[in-house]
Amino acid sequence: MSRAPADPRALLRELFDAALAAVEPGAAVARAIERGGDTVRVTGETLAPERCAVIAAGKGALAMARAWHAHVGAPRTGLAVSREPGALPAPWRALVGGHPLPNAASEAAGRAALEFAANVPCEDALVVLLSGGASALLSAPLAGVTLADLRETTQLLLRAGAEIGELNCVRKHLTVASGGRLAAATPAHRVVVLALSDVIGDDLATIGSGPCAPDPTTFGDAIEVLRARCVWEDTPARVQAHLARGAAGEVPESPKPGAACFERVRHAVIANNETALAALEAAAQQRGLAVTRLAEPLRGEARAVGAEFARRALGLRCGRAQLLIAGGETTVTVRGDGRGGRCQELALAAALALAGEKNVMLIAAGTDGSDGPTDAAGAFADGDTVSRGNALGVGAEDALTRNDSYGFFARAGGLIRTGPTGTNTLDVALVLVGRRT
């Protein structure tokens, strides 16, 4: 049995790193491939490597593409679209898109992916290596909508605290490669999708906006999302008009369940938040910790989730050290003028609930290494976080009111910076609670 580090912060960071290692995209792709002579089996399908065209899209695209190349061989042709630049061997073509807001590169990449899929010969297979972030990275707007419209609509929903399913419901009715359209565009006789899930419940229609999955949502659903989030009136006029025409049957819907194009599609989720949490739990147990894992995922407003998560951890305090862990993805409704992300806001709210408590420490961080429009993955918090902020002239409650969690932790200490991790399987939160004194 491993011994836990004396420094609780170092321990929590070790456990977070164990979770990241378990969802490394290249290793996940390798686990999904069975090599047998001149063929490979993927999702139960037998494929000839030289007859595979491969698209990798999302935050894990580069690692997934490299893993395919290493374990299967060079594809007939390959396209990778990622958030960060990186080199790939021939015949891969590597593109970079914008995230979380799409940019001109995202638009070009979306059209390139659709063209790539459309040009796969019918006797070949199309393999899609999909990971979180693909929605923004492949964001070419449909006719009648501009990139500026798409950016503004995305920003409105993000600031309104929309969950990923809501955001992608709208995206699927505004962009050319989402909502099953990539599968509909290709003549390939088989389409195999290996997905790294960044959504609660691993819904195939939501991961990366489901480029090869049937879309159960409608134009009317997209309008309802915008209305429910109170941003319809602020949504660009061209987006309103496009969605209204779609709801009236004047614009073709995204491909729906039962469409013939999906008969040749096979999906497999090769890593998800559960993968990360299982590795984290095993690593904690190896260090002799008693672990409790929340059965339900973290979701909802980050500040409310953070406060409740801290209270539940304190309720476990007993005669030995306890670790409470959970995964999921919260949201932030932006009302202030500060800067932060959902994990940092969760940690700040938890810090207020933990104020004055001894022998307790929390970490909340995104597995992609990016939390909101900041350079941090998340933050640490303990019973002294609030008092440290006060001593430096920065109030936790004021920062929370202004949605300025990043500003608070930058001053008071506690930011977690990993840089881009190349993966994305939601967020993890864990609290180490020492024994009752």
Side-chain angles (χ1 to χ4, degrees):
M1 179 181 296
S2 301
R3 292 180 61 85
D7 179 3
R9 183 173 295 203
L11 169 60
L12 293 185
R13 181 57 191 266
E14 277 190 15
L15 297 178
F16 178 59
D17 288 344
L20 292 181
V23 293
E24 195 281 315
V29 169
R31 290 193 296 266
I33 295 169
E34 297 178 43
R35 190 72 198 241
D38 294 332
T39 64
V40 293
R41 281 186 64 80
V42 186
T43 69
E45 298 285 335
T46 300
L47 305 176
E50 70 278 7
R51 305 302 305 184
C52 290
V54 186
I55 295 177
K59 296 176 184 178
L62 293 175
M64 296 175 89
R66 289 171 185 141
W68 181 273
H69 200 99
H71 294 278
V72 177
R76 182 182 179 94
T77 184
L79 175 68
V81 183
S82 63
R83 186 176 62 172
E84 308 293 332
L88 290 173
W92 291 91
R93 177 188 178 197
L95 301 177
V96 177
H99 185 279
L101 295 179
N103 58 15
S106 302
E107 180 171 8
R111 301 199 189 283
L114 198 67
E115 181 181 4
F116 181 98
N119 287 326
V120 176
C122 62
E123 62 270 21
D124 286 3
L126 173 63
V127 177
V128 180
L129 308 175
L130 186 65
S131 54
S135 299
L137 297 172
L138 301 176
S139 282
L142 288 164
V145 179
T146 69
L147 176 63
D149 295 331
L150 190 56
R151 282 178 61 89
E152 186 174 349
T153 303
T154 303
Q155 181 75 290
L156 285 169
L157 287 167
L158 289 172
R159 291 181 63 85
E163 292 191 346
I164 187 65
E166 296 174 307
L167 181 58
N168 286 359
C169 169
V170 176
R171 282 168 162 163
K172 285 186 287 187
H173 292 87
L174 297 177
T175 55
V176 302
S178 59
R181 293 184 182 87
L182 200 69
T186 185
H189 76 290
R190 274 182 284 187
V191 179
V192 173
V193 183
L194 300 183
L196 198 70
S197 174
D198 68 331
V199 303
I200 294 171
D202 302 335
D203 176 36
L204 299 174
T206 303
I207 301 170
S209 289
C212 297
D215 179 22
T217 69
T218 66
F219 281 103
D221 293 329
I223 293 172
E224 181 54 33
V225 167
L226 293 163
R227 290 191 185 279
R229 289 294 174 178
C230 302
V231 296
W232 174 255
E233 298 302 327
D234 297 320
T235 300
R238 278 183 293 264
V239 170
Q240 290 187 16
H242 172 79
L243 295 178
R245 287 197 303 271
E250 299 170 11
V251 176
E253 260 288 2
S254 49
K256 300 303 176 197
C261 63
F262 300 119
E263 294 176 0
R264 54 203 166 97
V265 179
R266 299 290 181 270
H267 279 82
V269 174
I270 58 174
N272 57 11
N273 193 243
E274 168 60 27
T275 310
L277 288 177
L280 195 160
E281 184 172 4
Q285 290 171 340
Q286 289 174 356
R287 290 159 174 77
L289 294 172
V291 182
T292 299
R293 193 201 303 194
L294 290 188
E296 66 274 15
L298 301 176
R299 66 190 313 163
E301 195 69 27
R303 63 183 64 192
V305 172
E308 177 60 20
F309 189 60
R311 286 191 289 267
R312 294 182 71 163
L314 293 175
L316 296 174
R317 180 167 270 172
C318 59
R320 62 180 295 197
Q322 303 283 323
L323 184 73
L324 178 65
I325 68 174
E329 185 173 87
T330 60
T331 56
V332 174
T333 302
V334 179
R335 298 184 177 90
D337 58 356
R339 189 177 174 209
R342 59 184 182 268
C343 291
Q344 294 162 72
E345 185 143 321
L346 187 156
L348 184 55
L352 286 162
L354 297 174
E357 295 286 344
K358 303 300 181 185
N359 300 323
V360 58
M361 177 162 285
L362 171 144
I363 175 177
T367 55
D368 62 352
S370 176
D371 185 34
T374 76
D375 61 355
F380 290 99
D382 60 25
D384 296 325
T385 295
V386 173
S387 60
R388 283 197 300 271
N390 289 336
L392 293 167
V394 53
E397 290 188 4
D398 176 66
L400 194 59
T401 299
R402 296 189 297 105
N403 298 115
D404 194 32
S405 53
Y406 182 88
F408 177 90
F409 285 113
R411 291 278 305 279
L415 289 174
I416 301 167
R417 293 185 174 96
T418 63
T421 63
T423 190
N424 186 13
T425 56
L426 300 173
D427 307 330
V428 296
L430 45 161
V431 185
L432 179 65
V433 183
R435 66 181 184 177
R436 179 180 286 116
T437 58

